[in-house]
Amino acid sequence: MKLPPFYAVVVFEAEPFVECIYFAHNDVQQFEYRISAEGKQLGITEADVKHIDSDK
């Protein structure tokens, strides 16, 4: 797979402790997300994350 032309790391205001990573080829797709160390310390888990692309 060829690397995409660009990617973006997005932090939604409603979830400041989660970074969503998006890649763009012909369309924009969510690739991954990460819960920050601070978020983990606060007890945020995968079940709490709202901005996950269900098509992954």
Side-chain angles (χ1 to χ4, degrees), residues 30-52:
Q30 186 179 49
F31 175 72
E32 178 179 42
Y33 70 91
R34 297 183 288 234
I35 298 171
S36 69
E38 186 177 358
K40 289 177 184 176
Q41 288 176 345
L42 292 171
I44 295 171
T45 66
E46 182 176 327
D48 300 316
V49 178
K50 298 175 186 136
H51 293 96
I52 296 178

Side-chain angles (χ1 to χ4, degrees), residues 9-42:
V9 178
V10 178
V11 177
F12 291 96
E13 187 174 316
E15 294 185 297
F17 303 111
V18 179
E19 295 178 338
C20 297
I21 297 96
Y22 293 87
F23 282 160
H25 286 283
N26 294 329
D27 57 347
V28 177
Q29 297 177 344
Q30 186 179 49
F31 175 72
E32 178 179 42
Y33 70 91
R34 297 183 288 234
I35 298 171
S36 69
E38 186 177 358
K40 289 177 184 176
Q41 288 176 345
L42 292 171

